[in-house]
Amino acid sequence: MLEAGFLKEIYDSLSGFPVLQAAVGALIVIFGLRLMLKADKAKDAAAAPPPSAGATLAAPDGAMHLQGTVAYVDMTREIRDILSECVELQRRIAECVRIMREESKKQTDVLERIEREQDVQGRSRHS
């Protein structure tokens, strides 16, 4: 196993080469990401439910591929359903905005009539 002093000497020897330090750092980051992705794949494979005994006996080796396709189709259907719900909610929001616009226009018209009436009454008092 490497000693800490040896690693310190290597680090100190690279201090004059920042490009080399950056390259070594990039390699370490890439290697770390690769290990993390590999671990995620292994964890996903371990978490997958085992196929039923009858399915493995009757299905060819491509059965796992078909399970992935079925899962993809199911997820696509769920996404489609969610998107259709979003569209419906957006329609409702648009309708509410339209109603609010109409009501605010009505209120504005009422306020304008009141102001005109007050102006007329104010002019008649001053005359």
Side-chain angles (χ1 to χ4, degrees):
M1 189 164 168
L2 297 174
E3 295 180 14
F6 178 71
L7 293 174
K8 177 76 171 134
E9 289 174 17
I10 292 174
Y11 179 75
D12 290 338
S13 68
L14 291 176
S15 64
F17 305 101
V19 174
L20 188 58
Q21 283 181 333
V24 169
L27 286 174
I28 290 172
V29 168
I30 290 170
F31 183 71
L33 288 173
R34 184 173 159 244
L35 285 176
M36 287 185 350
L37 292 174
K38 195 175 189 181
D40 282 346
K41 286 181 184 177
K43 184 175 72 172
D44 290 343
S52 62
T56 55
L57 293 177
D61 291 336
M64 288 303 287
H65 176 69
L66 291 177
Q67 287 178 358
T69 304
V70 170
Y72 175 77
V73 169
D74 288 342
M75 286 191 317
T76 306
R77 286 182 183 148
E78 288 178 27
I79 291 171
R80 185 188 64 210
D81 293 342
I82 290 171
L83 288 176
S84 64
E85 288 177 20
C86 289
V87 168
E88 179 59 30
L89 290 173
Q90 287 177 342
R91 283 188 197 134
R92 289 181 185 178
I93 290 170
E95 181 65 18
C96 290
V97 168
R98 186 188 62 77
I99 291 170
M100 289 170 55
R101 187 176 352 144
E102 289 174 0
E103 288 298 318
S104 65
K105 189 174 179 180
K106 288 178 186 176
Q107 293 296 322
T108 303
D109 292 342
V110 168
L111 289 174
E112 286 175 353
R113 278 188 268 145
I114 291 172
E115 286 178 355
R116 276 184 284 187
E117 188 176 313
Q118 288 175 347
D119 286 344
V120 169
Q121 288 178 359
R123 281 187 239 151
S124 66
R125 287 184 193 163
H126 293 295
S127 304

